[in-house]
Amino acid sequence: MPLNEIAASLYPWDLADEGIEHILDVLSSRAEVNSAYLVGLMHKEKRPLHARHYPHNPVRRYYVPEDSRVYWAPDPGKYQRIKPLTTEREFLIGRDWLDELTTAARRRGMRTGCEISHTIIDAQYARENLSDVLQRDVYGNIVGAFEAVEAQRALPCLNHPDVQDYLYGLFADVAANHDVDYVQTCLVLFGAGRDDGGTHSFGPTSWQQLLAVATGGCFCAACKAKATEEGLDWDAVVHQVTHLANLSRRIGLEELHERQLLDESNYTESALLVENEAFTAWLQFRKRSVNRLFALVREALAASGRQVEFRYNTYMASPERAGLDFASAFTYVDSVRESDYSDQLGTAEGVATKRAKLMKCRRALREDQQLIAALGVRPNATTQTLTDSVRAAVEAGADGLSLGHYDGATMERLDAVKLGLHRWEGQQRDWQPLTESPAE
Ligand SMILES: [Zn+2]
């Protein structure tokens, strides 16, 4: 199948600093981009992410965004208890960046989209005003995304009705009030826990990583109520997961001793699952919760009455540790963006990692669902790894590419996208006869 869609993500500050028309000129002429989307709800993350400084921003060297702001003008009628926060930065305030981008992109005949990124609530605001909706670990601590507890991040619980209302509102707002073809999300799902590394010489093994899920989320009151309604023995779950979390964190002398025996044994991931029934039941409960959330998002987009694609954007190497089971959750999506950026390692091994992740997604999708392969057009990707990544996309049965991200891209890497498309015959124009066919 041809790689018909070539998408690129843009941030509001990119648009303000470089100018929308200039950016679209660069992307379409160099990388054949025909689909542009705004990261319309962006988490707290220094930009550019991998390089220290922007390679081509004429205004600033780097940017530190506010936490989880929306960059469109929210429709107050779509929200209930939890409402989106908007930017307070002077150069961004008071403009609907989504409408500005989609208007410009439409004039060029491009597809348009919006991304609701990793986190949807400002962590500090949520800790002060909405602590009851936040994910809790088995010890009762607030669960954050990616970073240590000390970073004071916070994730809302997918099972809390107010969070579900808020998520429904966000997707419904974008779909009903903006000219988008797709809404993409890489929302962080359940906290996946962290293995602290301990004394591993070569990084944690797979069973040690699965054990660390016991330190993740969620054990809030909403989860307890939902799980109990579904027939889970919540006390047994809490009892067993506490023990496993203690093993993972090495809390208690008995637990430390047991962990040391396990570390020096030939224990396996499957043994951990078979041995711990309540833990396994909790993992399945998280999976059902995530599936319900995907169904809710699909419903919110459909309720707009417009044809708006639900595009899921992967964000983890092992999504099942966050409760995401591709095979069942993907029944609700229209397309998946596999967001692997291993081509940025600059090695053949990195490209092989990307290829494997694409194959995993393709296997979980129906024939009518689209697979979009991300390309990391940033350091330390090379022309070689980027063109090889296009080959991986072709071989994995992808339907498009999606560049991550323009802000950190160099022109050489954007050029490599076009080169890769031609080299690996990614589109129908590459499959034409050498001479004109006789007229019929
Ligand atoms: Zn919860």
Side-chain angles (χ1 to χ4, degrees), residues 157 218-220 223:
C157 181
C218 176
F219 290 88
C220 77
C223 280

Side-chain angles (χ1 to χ4, degrees), residues 170-315:
L170 287 169
F171 283 87
D173 187 3
V174 172
N177 298 320
H178 300 273
D179 182 22
V180 292
D181 293 312
Y182 54 94
V183 186
Q184 172 174 307
T185 189
C186 45
L187 181 72
V188 175
L189 302 167
F190 287 111
R194 289 162 62 89
D195 184 285
D196 64 7
T199 53
H200 315 308
S201 305
F202 300 102
T205 63
S206 63
W207 77 259
Q208 289 162 340
Q209 289 176 37
L210 179 60
L211 181 68
V213 176
T215 69
C218 176
F219 290 88
C220 77
C223 280
K224 179 182 179 178
K226 188 71 192 164
T228 306
E229 183 191 311
E230 290 185 13
L232 266 76
D233 180 346
W234 193 247
D235 290 341
V237 169
V238 170
H239 180 74
Q240 191 163 78
V241 174
T242 301
H243 176 66
L244 296 177
N246 288 343
L247 283 180
S248 182
R249 293 262 168 86
R250 301 171 180 78
I251 296 172
L253 289 183
E254 289 290 351
E255 288 83 355
L256 174 61
H257 174 62
E258 186 184 348
R259 175 63 191 264
Q260 286 168 334
L261 294 180
L262 286 169
D263 283 347
E264 292 176 35
S265 77
N266 60 345
Y267 201 60
T268 61
E269 205 167 8
S270 50
L272 178 64
L273 287 172
V274 169
E275 185 181 325
N276 295 284
E277 286 183 32
F279 174 59
T280 306
W282 175 66
L283 295 177
Q284 293 290 334
F285 165 69
R286 293 159 98 236
K287 165 182 154 176
R288 289 192 297 276
S289 303
V290 169
N291 289 349
R292 272 195 300 275
L293 179 84
F294 273 55
L296 182 82
V297 168
R298 183 169 192 81
E299 194 188 313
L301 295 180
S304 71
R306 298 179 55 241
Q307 285 284 340
V308 180
E309 240 181 87
F310 173 16
R311 178 169 295 179
Y312 180 71
N313 187 27
T314 67
Y315 72 93

Side-chain angles (χ1 to χ4, degrees), residues 60-218:
R60 69 192 81 235
R61 291 186 181 81
Y62 68 98
Y63 184 62
V64 182
E66 300 147 287
D67 193 357
S68 307
R69 295 306 199 267
V70 302
Y71 296 95
W72 68 83
D75 171 0
K78 297 285 187 204
Y79 303 97
Q80 300 182 50
R81 178 183 170 207
I82 307 174
K83 296 170 177 52
L85 296 179
T86 52
T87 181
E88 287 164 25
R89 300 280 163 84
E90 207 159 298
F91 76 112
L92 298 173
I93 209 164
R95 287 168 70 173
D96 190 315
W97 292 98
L98 182 55
D99 282 354
E100 293 197 27
L101 177 61
T102 56
T103 302
R106 284 294 188 216
R107 275 201 299 267
R108 296 164 183 253
M110 289 181 165
R111 301 195 83 217
T112 58
C114 180
E115 176 176 291
I116 291 172
S117 195
H118 291 320
T119 60
I120 51 171
I121 307 182
D122 177 295
Q124 198 187 333
Y125 176 84
R127 281 171 176 265
E128 287 163 12
N129 301 286
L130 300 163
S131 68
D132 61 303
V133 312
L134 298 178
Q135 285 190 41
R136 303 282 169 161
D137 66 17
V138 75
Y139 306 110
N141 303 310
I142 290 170
V143 174
F146 309 129
E147 292 166 303
V149 172
E150 293 75 15
Q152 298 285 292
R153 300 291 281 268
L155 287 174
C157 181
L158 315 176
N159 277 321
H160 197 288
D162 293 344
V163 174
Q164 292 172 350
D165 286 344
Y166 178 45
L167 272 163
Y168 187 98
L170 287 169
F171 283 87
D173 187 3
V174 172
N177 298 320
H178 300 273
D179 182 22
V180 292
D181 293 312
Y182 54 94
V183 186
Q184 172 174 307
T185 189
C186 45
L187 181 72
V188 175
L189 302 167
F190 287 111
R194 289 162 62 89
D195 184 285
D196 64 7
T199 53
H200 315 308
S201 305
F202 300 102
T205 63
S206 63
W207 77 259
Q208 289 162 340
Q209 289 176 37
L210 179 60
L211 181 68
V213 176
T215 69
C218 176

